[in-house]
Amino acid sequence: MTDTSTKPAAASSTTGSTSAPSAGPLTRFLRATEIDTRLLGMMGALLLIWLVFHFYGVIFNGFGAFLTPRNLWNVSVQMSSIGIMATGMVLVIVTRNIDLSVGAILGVTGMVMGILQVEILPQYLGLGHPAIWVITVIVGIFVGGCIGAIHGWLIAYRGIPSFIVTLGGLLVWRGAAFLSANGKTISPVDATFTLLGGGPYGAIGAVGSWTVGVIACLGILAALYAGRQSRKRHEFPVRPMWAEIFMGLLGCGLVIGAVLVVNAYPWPRGIVNSYIEANGIVLAEGETLFISHGFAYPVLIMLTVALLMTLLVSRTRFGRYVFAIGGNPEAAALAGINVRWMTLRIFALMGALAGLAAVVASARLNSATNALGLLDELYVIAAAVVGGTSLAGGVGTIYGAILGALVMQSLRSGMVLIGFDTAVQQIVVGSVLVLAVYLDNLYRNRAK
Amino acid sequence: MVELRDISIAFGGIRAVDGVSLDLYPGEVVGLLGHNGAGKSTLIKCLSGAYKADHGQIFINGQEVTINNPRDAREYNIETIYQTLALADNLDAASNLFLGRELVTGGGLLDDARMEAETRRILARLNPNFKKFKDPVSALSGGQRQSVAIARAVYFNAKILIMDEPTAALGPQETQMVAELIHELKRDGLGIFLIDHDVHAVKQLCDRAAVMKNGQLVGVVKVDEVTEDDLLAMIILGKKPEHLAA
């Protein structure tokens, strides 16, 4: 509280000068479109990472493997479970807490779901029953939510620091994951359940992807229109028309670009052949079938989670209170917000998201192992922090966390593609995390 | 309108407030004076719901009430402007103004546009120079932050207003603005508790002054009947001036 008294004066003087009419064209462009410059910086960094990995491959390996539909599709699938958890981690960190246990929660819920769908449910429903995966997913999310709620209760109502509770949780739940099946790997999991992890059959194909793309574009345009109407109705300043059009084109362009990329990645030859046989398709000599992957289910799950979490954060009381608590816990309490109950619910939500991430992760692996999600907590926290969530609390965005997850996964995949071994990967990922936070500090100090 | 009767509260064996009784009438400003740690803020926090008194009763309009938390206090139209302002620095003016009492649409979602419109309306009245509705309140000047905190209290039709050192962080011009506002609110029939260090300000703004020392009430006097020196003596010596002592 002491440092806030000195900041306002400095802040008001800088904001005062930037709103002067003498601002450069770039500044005016950014103000008119209301693009977050941090977001722009992250996009730039991401693009840089992609280009560096691609051209490193081109120059040293004679083949750029990064900017190919296949790799980008894989990156999107591989980032899903981290991305799902990172959205929850934003809320945890914004309220000045930390959750070190998400990887372990993922591990134990993965085991619970594995045992449930392989050893328990088939006895009652029969192997391959269509309800198995539904029950499994619900139980997984519920168990994760319960574990999170226990952590939240210990933190909020028993006053144990979140760092300690979740550090203990990390060990406890990792141990529980091992004990649940005495260290065995449970495989294969239910056939329908596996689809939630991606793969050729776990994607929605070309037509489905175009449908999703068109819906997303319509959504973007509708949101822009509704926003403009609302501003008009309350007589607030509206963005200039060209800025609205630019934002619309940019949003739709990104969506359509993503659809084109995922549709450009065909099924592998072997899978296509067995598909042709299974469906009795007769092809002319030398002709092959091009079947697009399209968006994978885990990616769609992640995007849906991101959308719902954004809605939760920006348009509900719950989200508003999360940020109020992060900004000033005392003020939040004086405004009648039940800070403890909020904390419990935030950790329960985090746990439930870890349960959902366990669905994606174990389905992708087609098995449940006690090591599932090992060290994930670090990548999740890194994703949130690289995405601009401040550990001091009060600041963070969902889209930032998703972008952060994409950055982290791009780094990991990129280094695998150009053949760096694990030790080097760890060094690079660790350094990038520290560097990202340092750059963010510089940016914030300049903005103030 | 408000009557605090025999309020006591202790923290770890120290009696921060010890058997204090105080009342407040509509359209009246009662100043609370005393050294740091005299128990002024603690006493008033029992009324605003931040603390719960160990002992004693609170009456509002003759009815005994229990105030367990800030939400209860708001139910009775008691609004508080804290010394720290109690603003979430990372949120904008509208979010702070409606914190805990957000306006929602039919679907239960936050109606940010309407909240901003209302905020613009009330701040136009309190502080016509206020322009930064989109910025987090950390980017505002001391006076602007104060405006937001005051707007929060005034917007929700407060009947009883508690101001904890409202002018501590303000320049002379902004202090004058707060003084005018207090007069205006008084004319509207609000009862105001004003906690202040400044004997001069209390003498100017208040009808009565209550002086506290070491958790106990030294006395309540009409400001017209005492000099600033009398008030100072009460604060320092903990005794009522001789000409008033019955």
Side-chain angles (χ1 to χ4, degrees), chain A residues 1-2 4-5 327-332 334, chain B residues 41 45 80-89 96 137 142 145-146 149 152 162-169:
Chain A
M1 283 312 293
T2 47
T4 50
S5 56
N328 188 343
E330 205 181 327
L334 290 174
Chain B
S41 291
K45 278 182 176 168
T80 311
I81 299 165
Y82 293 96
Q83 191 176 358
T84 56
L85 301 183
L87 298 173
D89 278 331
N96 268 296
V137 293
R145 289 160 61 83
Q146 187 81 45
R152 174 157 68 180
I162 301 166
M163 301 172 107
D164 194 347
E165 306 219 12
T167 56

Side-chain angles (χ1 to χ4, degrees), chain A residues 1 4 7-9 11-13 15-16 94 230-231 233-237 311 313-317 319-328 330-338 393-395 448, chain B residues 45 48 50 70-71 74 82 84 86-92 94-95 99-105 108-117 120 132 134-135 137-142 144-145 152:
Chain A
M1 283 312 293
T4 50
K7 276 178 201 159
S12 59
S13 66
T15 31
V94 161
S230 169
R231 287 189 191 198
R233 195 166 56 245
H234 291 283
E235 292 166 355
F236 299 159
L311 201 67
V313 163
S314 57
R315 299 299 311 277
T316 68
R317 286 193 165 152
R320 181 61 46 83
Y321 295 169
V322 165
F323 281 86
I325 292 170
N328 188 343
E330 205 181 327
L334 290 174
I337 296 169
N338 190 337
V395 179
K448 282 241 160 100
Chain B
K45 278 182 176 168
S48 67
R71 223 173 257 275
R74 287 175 165 187
Y82 293 96
T84 56
L87 298 173
D89 278 331
N90 54 336
L91 301 180
D92 61 16
S95 303
L99 192 60
R101 291 177 282 200
E102 288 77 8
L103 301 177
V104 290
T105 60
L109 296 177
L110 294 178
D111 195 345
D112 278 319
R114 208 168 103 229
M115 284 193 271
E116 191 184 329
R120 281 172 190 264
K132 294 184 188 164
K134 289 288 180 198
D135 292 337
V137 293
S138 62
L140 306 181
S141 72
Q144 289 171 326
R145 289 160 61 83
R152 174 157 68 180

Side-chain angles (χ1 to χ4, degrees), chain B residues 70 77 150 167 178 185 194 220 228:
Chain B
N77 293 321
I150 293 175
T167 56
V178 172
L185 295 173
L194 180 68
V220 186
E228 286 181 23

Side-chain angles (χ1 to χ4, degrees), chain B residues 166-185:
Chain B
T167 56
L170 301 185
Q173 207 182 347
E174 288 162 333
T175 305
Q176 187 54 38
M177 212 173 72
V178 172
E180 278 166 21
L181 181 76
I182 289 175
H183 282 302
E184 193 188 319
L185 295 173

Side-chain angles (χ1 to χ4, degrees), chain A residues 89 91-99 155 161-162 343 347 391:
Chain A
M89 191 60 80
L91 305 195
V92 171
I93 297 179
V94 161
T95 50
R96 306 185 182 188
N97 285 308
I98 196 79
D99 194 338
I155 293 159
S162 58
T343 305
F347 274 90
L391 285 169

